[in-house]
Amino acid sequence: MSELDVAGLQRRLAEFAASREWQPYHTPKNLAAALSVEAAELLEIFQWLTPEQADRVMEDPDAAHRVADEVADVLAYLLQFCEVLGVDPLAALSAKIDRNELRFPVGRPPGRSARATEAGDRHSSE
Amino acid sequence: MSELDVAGLQRRLAEFAASREWQPYHTPKNLAAALSVEAAELLEIFQWLTPEQADRVMEDPDAAHRVADEVADVLAYLLQFCEVLGVDPLAALSAKIDRNELRFPVGRPPGRSARATEAGDRHSSE
Amino acid sequence: MSELDVAGLQRRLAEFAASREWQPYHTPKNLAAALSVEAAELLEIFQWLTPEQADRVMEDPDAAHRVADEVADVLAYLLQFCEVLGVDPLAALSAKIDRNELRFPVGRPPGRSARATEAGDRHSSE
Amino acid sequence: MSELDVAGLQRRLAEFAASREWQPYHTPKNLAAALSVEAAELLEIFQWLTPEQADRVMEDPDAAHRVADEVADVLAYLLQFCEVLGVDPLAALSAKIDRNELRFPVGRPPGRSARATEAGDRHSSE
């Protein structure tokens, strides 16, 4: 399934944009904005749901379709952003997990404090 | 490199969260919020840059590292969100490209109007 | 308290930016991006909290300060955005409430369906 | 015009929500998410525009209406968020400007470096 890996999808997205002459719009800044907008549209599905309702969102076929559709949009803009700037998203994530394994050793007290630390550290110079 | 495909990264992320007892925090709603926050942090890098400065962002090693780091965070939360809800992100994107090829035929007048239509259609019931 | 109304704050923000020669950065597009980034930073405070923890966020002095600080940032960019484009935010909101009173008559079945309708309508052409 | 000040608008918003029994949805966490989603919808208007097109957005009546409508939504959720948590948004902004006048003295070299410093400082402990 050459189309169902990241490189294949990036190729399809690039051809799609090129054949419609959309590349002039696909600047790094615009794609970062579009990615952020699509992520917010995904969040919008959940904004008024209780945690319990949110956990069951895929039981509603309409909501399930909307979730998959917004996931696709987020991934589409993320991959196009990476293509334009020459970032390998899978390598970036793998390297980040490596770093996080050092920053958050197993055995640290779990729960809120660890998550709060993660959030705080994310803003540090790392 | 089994770790450098999407399924391998999802497995590493799941193990990372499980060994730190973070799963209770990784609800669909929380992960959608975190994804949106990380996408905004990526946008933050570009917010005051001109389009020309943004195009050259990877020439600055610090900025390049920050871009890769935020890309990793966005992808991490996207993959964890998909894992928790049972969404296949690559299949969702492939299906979306299929649909978009029908919705945006090649040869439609290019440029702003096409992009504007895309933005409008994205909000329709589809 | 001339400084504690919206017009007075807009004046202070404009003087602040002008005296530091920041106006070239304060384009409508950049300010819209910055507003979105600050709103995400406010959300970040809540992203891992349960609804119950979120309700009590102001009991923690550090979190309370952070909330007020992010509220200030959101309002600052909203007011500067409005100033640059000549939008009166209070008049815009008043007009919107007027419209919503017609769109969401009292007595419609309350709860999720009404909120879902609101979300859907918000994307219609209105 | 008692309705055209912040307190008057907060009162109208509270009555609007109460008479439709929407308060259970208006938790701090949900309102922070909704604020972030609306800010992204405002950004969406600008995402594919060049800076020059963005500067002229109010010349198009449809776009101008959409901008005002999204400004209203952002302000509506910001004011409701503040009401629920007991934050005074105008006082918070005034205090923030006071602090920023100390943090960013006039005369510091202007331009990108100052803005970059602002962005960096915003993430520090302040």
Side-chain angles (χ1 to χ4, degrees):
Chain A
M1 294 289 73
S2 68
E3 287 180 356
L4 268 182
D5 62 20
V6 165
L9 288 166
Q10 280 184 310
R11 201 158 38 235
R12 284 190 71 192
L13 290 165
E15 288 167 8
F16 186 93
S19 60
R20 284 154 189 80
E21 301 181 43
W22 285 1
Q23 305 109 312
Y25 301 92
H26 286 190
T27 65
K29 184 166 177 164
N30 288 0
L31 289 167
L35 171 62
S36 181
V37 167
E38 295 301 331
E41 292 187 4
L42 183 60
L43 176 59
E44 190 182 18
I45 301 171
F46 297 92
Q47 65 186 349
W48 304 121
L49 302 185
T50 64
E52 294 71 31
Q53 290 170 329
D55 291 341
R56 298 193 310 271
V57 72
M58 303 304 280
E59 296 174 12
D60 172 354
D62 284 348
H65 176 78
R66 203 174 154 208
V67 166
D69 199 57
E70 299 295 353
V71 162
D73 284 335
V74 170
L75 184 58
Y77 286 122
L78 181 66
L79 294 184
Q80 290 177 99
F81 174 87
C82 287
E83 174 102 348
V84 166
L85 286 185
V87 175
D88 180 331
L90 301 182
L93 177 50
S94 183
K96 177 84 184 221
I97 299 173
D98 290 342
R99 291 197 299 277
N100 277 349
E101 281 170 349
L102 297 176
R103 287 166 64 201
F104 303 104
V106 173
R108 189 188 275 211
R112 186 188 168 183
S113 60
R115 296 298 324 194
T117 303
E118 183 196 25
D121 284 7
R122 208 182 292 138
H123 281 164
S124 74
S125 61
E126 193 196 349
Chain B
M1 292 287 71
S2 69
E3 286 179 355
L4 267 181
D5 62 21
V6 165
L9 288 166
Q10 281 184 307
R11 203 160 35 237
R12 284 189 71 191
L13 290 165
E15 288 167 8
F16 186 93
S19 61
R20 285 153 188 82
E21 300 181 43
W22 285 0
Q23 305 110 313
Y25 301 92
H26 287 191
T27 66
K29 184 167 178 163
N30 288 0
L31 289 167
L35 171 62
S36 181
V37 167
E38 294 301 331
E41 292 186 5
L42 183 60
L43 176 60
E44 190 182 19
I45 300 170
F46 297 92
Q47 67 186 348
W48 304 121
L49 302 185
T50 64
E52 294 71 31
Q53 291 169 329
D55 292 342
R56 298 194 309 271
V57 72
M58 303 304 280
E59 296 173 13
D60 172 353
D62 284 347
H65 176 77
R66 202 173 154 208
V67 166
D69 198 57
E70 298 296 352
V71 162
D73 285 335
V74 170
L75 185 57
Y77 286 122
L78 181 65
L79 294 185
Q80 290 176 99
F81 174 87
C82 287
E83 174 103 345
V84 165
L85 286 184
V87 175
D88 179 332
L90 301 182
L93 177 51
S94 183
K96 177 86 186 222
I97 298 174
D98 290 343
R99 291 197 300 276
N100 278 349
E101 282 171 349
L102 297 174
R103 287 165 64 199
F104 303 104
V106 174
R108 189 188 277 211
R112 185 188 169 184
S113 60
R115 297 297 324 194
T117 304
E118 183 196 25
D121 285 8
R122 207 180 293 139
H123 282 163
S124 74
S125 62
E126 195 196 349
Chain C
M1 293 287 71
S2 69
E3 287 180 355
L4 267 183
D5 62 20
V6 165
L9 288 166
Q10 281 185 308
R11 203 159 36 237
R12 284 189 71 192
L13 290 166
E15 288 167 8
F16 186 93
S19 60
R20 285 154 188 80
E21 300 181 46
W22 285 359
Q23 306 110 312
Y25 300 91
H26 287 190
T27 65
K29 184 166 178 164
N30 287 1
L31 289 166
L35 171 62
S36 182
V37 168
E38 295 301 331
E41 292 187 3
L42 183 60
L43 176 60
E44 189 181 20
I45 300 171
F46 297 92
Q47 65 186 349
W48 305 120
L49 303 186
T50 64
E52 295 70 32
Q53 291 170 328
D55 292 342
R56 298 193 309 271
V57 71
M58 303 303 281
E59 296 174 13
D60 171 355
D62 284 347
H65 176 77
R66 202 173 155 207
V67 166
D69 197 58
E70 298 296 352
V71 162
D73 285 335
V74 170
L75 185 57
Y77 286 122
L78 181 66
L79 294 184
Q80 291 177 98
F81 175 87
C82 287
E83 175 102 346
V84 166
L85 286 185
V87 174
D88 180 332
L90 301 182
L93 177 52
S94 184
K96 176 86 185 219
I97 298 173
D98 290 343
R99 290 199 300 276
N100 277 349
E101 283 170 349
L102 297 175
R103 287 165 65 200
F104 303 104
V106 173
R108 188 188 276 212
R112 187 190 167 180
S113 61
R115 296 298 324 195
T117 304
E118 183 196 25
D121 284 8
R122 207 182 293 140
H123 282 164
S124 75
S125 63
E126 191 194 353
Chain D
M1 292 292 75
S2 69
E3 287 179 355
L4 267 181
D5 61 22
V6 165
L9 288 165
Q10 281 184 308
R11 203 159 37 236
R12 284 190 71 193
L13 289 165
E15 288 167 8
F16 186 92
S19 61
R20 285 154 188 82
E21 301 182 42
W22 285 359
Q23 305 109 312
Y25 300 93
H26 286 191
T27 65
K29 183 165 178 165
N30 288 0
L31 289 167
L35 171 63
S36 181
V37 167
E38 294 302 330
E41 292 187 5
L42 183 60
L43 176 60
E44 190 182 19
I45 300 171
F46 297 92
Q47 65 186 349
W48 305 121
L49 303 185
T50 63
E52 295 71 31
Q53 290 170 329
D55 290 342
R56 298 194 310 271
V57 71
M58 302 304 280
E59 296 174 13
D60 172 354
D62 284 349
H65 175 78
R66 202 174 156 209
V67 166
D69 198 58
E70 298 296 352
V71 162
D73 285 336
V74 170
L75 185 57
Y77 286 122
L78 181 65
L79 294 184
Q80 291 177 97
F81 174 87
C82 287
E83 174 102 347
V84 165
L85 286 185
V87 174
D88 180 332
L90 301 182
L93 177 51
S94 183
K96 177 86 186 222
I97 298 173
D98 290 343
R99 290 198 299 276
N100 277 348
E101 282 169 350
L102 297 176
R103 287 165 63 200
F104 303 103
V106 173
R108 188 190 276 212
R112 186 189 168 183
S113 60
R115 297 298 324 194
T117 304
E118 183 196 24
D121 285 7
R122 208 182 291 138
H123 281 163
S124 74
S125 63
E126 193 197 349

